[in-house]
Amino acid sequence: MLAVHTRTETVLALRHSEQLLLTLVIPLALLVGLTLLQGLVELPEPRVNAALGTVLALAMMSTGFTSQAIALGFDRRYGLMRRLAATAIPRWLVVTGRLGGMAAVVVLQVVVLGGVGLALGWRPDGASLGWALLLIVLGAAAFGACGLLLGGSVRADLVLVIANVVWFVLLFVGGIVVPADQLPGPLGAVVELLPSGALAEGLRSVLLGGGPGVGHLVVLLVWAVVAGAVAVRTLKWD
């Protein structure tokens, strides 16, 4: 049951043109822009490494949070979740199957964005690649759990608005495009406690030759566990 549900979620995500715009086209455009347009945002050198960390964090947020929340919200609105409730599928399998479909899309994003990064001059080493993959897994899990929590608990007609507003806010003041140390006042410290800030700062750090702070890993793990547990308990079928 889990394998079938995961495969179905993957196929639906890849067939949805609006989700592909959010999960692939926009991150690709931002990767090229941040790398080639020097005055767009101040980033450390090598610029492509920092840009790739930024864009990978955006891709995880787009796929895990925004796309998951909107898809689940519309499934509830149009009655698909009520149909699932009439079957033998338990709540935990619905959540896990959706996260599995998201994981398949994440793998595609990493391959495509990594390939474009290589073409733009990114030269990874083994240690940084391993840390980056760990951060991506934790970041995808954290954002995926938050997306399922929003899409499965909030009134369906509000999910679209909330998910898009949160995406824009986190993109610009959540530590993704603008690094936390460039944000005014205590906002930078607060941002690093969010999954967006922890993931973006951690990825930029490891891809620039450093290591991820333990705090970044802990923040992502806590968000994934807590939001995932609440999402399973609060999932509504309609």
Side-chain angles (χ1 to χ4, degrees), residues 109-200:
Q109 287 176 305
V110 171
V111 171
V112 173
L113 292 172
V116 174
L118 289 171
L120 292 171
W122 173 51
R123 296 298 177 263
D125 60 74
S128 67
L129 203 56
W131 281 117
L133 290 176
L134 176 60
L135 284 163
I136 287 170
V137 170
L138 290 176
F143 278 120
C146 291
L148 291 174
L149 175 58
L150 173 62
S153 60
V154 176
R155 204 175 71 200
D157 56 350
L158 294 178
V159 171
L160 179 63
V161 175
I162 295 174
N164 282 314
V165 168
V166 171
W167 185 87
F168 275 106
V169 170
L170 292 182
L171 175 64
F172 293 106
V173 294
I176 293 185
V177 171
V178 181
D181 59 5
Q182 296 181 26
L183 293 171
L187 182 59
V190 174
V191 159
E192 293 203 52
L193 298 177
L194 300 176
S196 56
L199 181 58

Side-chain angles (χ1 to χ4, degrees), residues 23-24 27-28 31 52-53 55-61 63 102-118 122 124 128-130 132-140 199 203 207:
T23 58
L24 273 178
L28 278 173
L31 174 59
L52 183 59
V55 170
L56 285 171
L58 172 62
M60 298 307 102
M61 181 175 71
T63 301
M102 179 200 71
V105 177
V106 165
V107 171
L108 176 63
Q109 287 176 305
V110 171
V111 171
V112 173
L113 292 172
V116 174
L118 289 171
W122 173 51
S128 67
L129 203 56
L133 290 176
L134 176 60
L135 284 163
I136 287 170
V137 170
L138 290 176
L199 181 58
L203 284 172
L207 293 178

